[in-house]
Amino acid sequence: EMGGSARRRCALSSGRDGRCSRFMSARTATLCSTSCRRPVAMGGSRRPRRVLLFTSSPLEGSEGADKQLAAMIASMIPDMEFTWFTRWPAMGRKPRLASGHAVPIASRDGIPHTAERLQVTAAGAFLARHSDLVHAILTVGTGFPLLSRWWQLLFPSRPVIHTAPGVMEPHLLSRSRPLGTTVAYSDVTAQALRAAGFGDVRVIAPAVSLAQWPCRPRAAGIPAVLFAGHHDPGGGATEAIAAAAVARQAGARFRLVLAMRLRPGQRGRALAADLAGLAGREGLSDVTVLGHVADMPGLLAASDVLLFIPRSLSGKADIPLTVLEALATGRPVIISDLPQVAGLGDAVLRVPAGDDRQAGLLLATLLAEPRRWEAMAGRGTAVVRARFGPQRCATQYRRLYSELLG
């Protein structure tokens, strides 16, 4: 226990049922209470090593590559004792994880606004002092350079893994500092990080749960073409509409579904109306613009093709999880030929970034040729199982944890 009444204290108390609660003193900026199951240390004698999963917002917040990776790691490496951020008030929501120590973060919508970022930073700085390892899962975005410069002061004397799912803008790297050992999703981002002075950079491909995203048979009826992404300039939504218009002119018959996620501060209704208006001007009549999708597996199963043709990834994960989820479900993917997605090989159909006409013609051809559709669906599923399964990803992180923890 730390001495001095003015210092913050943290204690663990265990009950007969093997559950535990973590308490912080009233002077601690972030209150924490949880019930959880303690993992059993490998070998049975040593206590499990404590790992802080540091994300920009609660795990029950807006879905993203960071939240999915954190949840996958915690569930696939049971011999570690994880601490993670949960959304408060719960409002009847179940915790994302069934084990570990959940630290409540006040959040209205789970999106990483400034208030959420300040809370996780303050709580994380305190919790890191009681952890053996900090695993930060953070995209290199506009706020990352400032955080990286304060990191050593806030999180001293602890080994750190920083998984960077993506880089929003390359120029941000020159203003940033490494947090510790860095993990990238792709070779191209790893090269950029090393060139910016990040030193020890590893590459671990993302993973998708094959149990959550099983291969599904193709739905009957009018084909559905899906785009899923953000309202970012060049992010793929307007490009998907332009490509769909080309395919429609080529004689293809389909429905276009745009599943749109919001960035902090964006107004969903106005942006959705803009997309619907653009689709109408392009001559597309059967278009649906969705906001938050609660059942993404169901939406992908009801779709025939994922059309993801952004001009740039703009902070999305190097290999967007929606792409892996579509491939796992058995849905062909038409994607921009960006260097970050080179690891997908021939599992996807590539078009030059910005070439909406070629994307539209390829879409029309794919919808008109069932055998080609079936071949691409089978190829994509096989590649995900071979290269992007959760066990492979967890094994690589387990080795990295062991290396840093000694």
Side-chain angles (χ1 to χ4, degrees):
E1 180 178 343
M2 294 179 289
S5 60
R7 300 185 64 184
R8 298 171 180 169
R9 293 185 295 178
C10 180
L12 291 173
S13 60
S14 297
R16 293 181 180 178
D17 61 352
R19 293 180 177 268
C20 60
S21 299
R22 180 185 293 263
F23 302 96
M24 292 183 186
S25 67
R27 300 189 63 178
T28 303
T30 303
L31 296 177
C32 170
S33 64
T34 183
S35 64
C36 59
R37 292 198 179 275
R38 278 181 176 274
V40 178
M42 294 185 68
S45 57
R46 296 179 56 190
R47 70 165 177 81
R49 309 303 291 272
R50 296 169 181 156
V51 179
L52 170 62
L53 291 173
F54 186 90
T55 53
S56 60
S57 60
L59 293 195
E60 296 86 3
S62 57
E63 196 64 24
D66 55 343
K67 315 297 190 308
Q68 292 195 28
L69 178 62
M72 186 277 295
I73 288 174
S75 62
M76 295 292 291
I77 309 180
D79 49 302
M80 298 289 174
E81 186 176 316
F82 289 96
T83 299
W84 49 283
F85 300 122
T86 189
R87 186 173 167 185
W88 182 87
M91 304 291 288
R93 287 181 297 270
K94 293 183 179 180
R96 182 73 177 264
L97 300 176
S99 62
H101 305 291
V103 179
I105 298 296
S107 178
R108 182 184 73 257
D109 51 17
I111 296 176
H113 301 286
T114 300
E116 284 82 352
R117 294 177 186 273
L118 290 174
Q119 289 179 78
V120 300
T121 301
F126 176 81
L127 293 165
R129 302 173 187 274
H130 305 277
S131 303
D132 300 301
L133 173 71
V134 178
H135 188 169
I137 308 174
L138 302 167
T139 293
V140 179
T142 54
F144 183 81
L146 180 60
L147 175 64
S148 70
R149 292 176 180 274
W150 282 89
W151 186 268
Q152 291 301 324
L153 179 63
L154 295 170
F155 299 83
S157 305
R158 289 292 181 274
V160 176
I161 298 172
H162 170 212
T163 297
V167 176
M168 187 168 289
E169 295 292 344
H171 70 84
L172 295 172
L173 292 177
S174 62
R175 296 159 42 200
S176 302
R177 297 174 180 174
L179 309 185
T181 299
T182 309
V183 177
Y185 276 7
S186 70
D187 289 326
V188 65
T189 295
Q191 292 171 5
L193 289 164
R194 294 186 189 109
F198 274 63
D200 185 8
V201 181
R202 319 290 178 90
V203 177
I204 300 178
V208 60
S209 170
L210 302 177
Q212 184 181 357
W213 303 93
C215 185
R216 306 277 287 273
R218 188 176 186 180
I222 298 175
V225 176
L226 173 66
F227 167 81
H230 292 87
H231 293 277
D232 296 332
T238 58
E239 291 80 3
I241 291 173
V246 172
R248 186 70 184 88
Q249 292 167 6
R253 184 172 176 235
F254 57 90
R255 298 181 295 111
L256 179 63
V257 180
L258 306 173
M260 306 304 301
R261 297 174 181 171
L262 296 177
R263 302 286 190 191
Q266 290 183 333
R267 297 185 176 182
R269 290 185 179 180
L271 292 170
D274 290 342
L275 289 176
L278 176 61
R281 292 191 295 273
E282 290 284 355
L284 298 171
S285 58
D286 197 351
V287 178
T288 302
V289 183
L290 303 175
H292 172 72
V293 177
D295 183 16
M296 197 63 188
L299 180 61
L300 273 172
S303 304
D304 293 74
V305 178
L306 178 68
L307 182 61
F308 187 74
I309 50 171
R311 296 174 186 268
S312 68
L313 291 177
S314 300
K316 290 186 71 66
D318 283 358
I319 303 177
L321 288 178
T322 302
V323 173
L324 295 181
E325 292 160 358
L327 294 174
T329 306
R331 299 300 178 263
V333 174
I334 299 175
I335 193 169
S336 299
D337 192 11
L338 299 170
Q340 293 94 327
V341 300
L344 294 173
D346 60 357
V348 294
L349 295 169
R350 304 169 186 274
V351 295
D355 194 339
D356 304 333
R357 177 172 175 76
Q358 183 172 336
L361 294 175
L362 184 57
L363 173 61
T365 301
L366 184 62
L367 292 175
E369 298 180 0
R371 288 187 178 180
R372 188 178 187 184
W373 187 97
E374 291 174 2
M376 289 304 304
R379 188 181 303 168
T381 301
V383 167
V384 168
R385 289 184 178 278
R387 303 181 193 170
F388 301 99
Q391 192 61 54
R392 178 187 178 114
C393 181
T395 297
Q396 291 176 294
Y397 274 110
R398 183 193 293 269
R399 290 172 180 165
L400 185 55
Y401 279 20
S402 298
E403 177 185 335
L404 295 185
L405 289 171

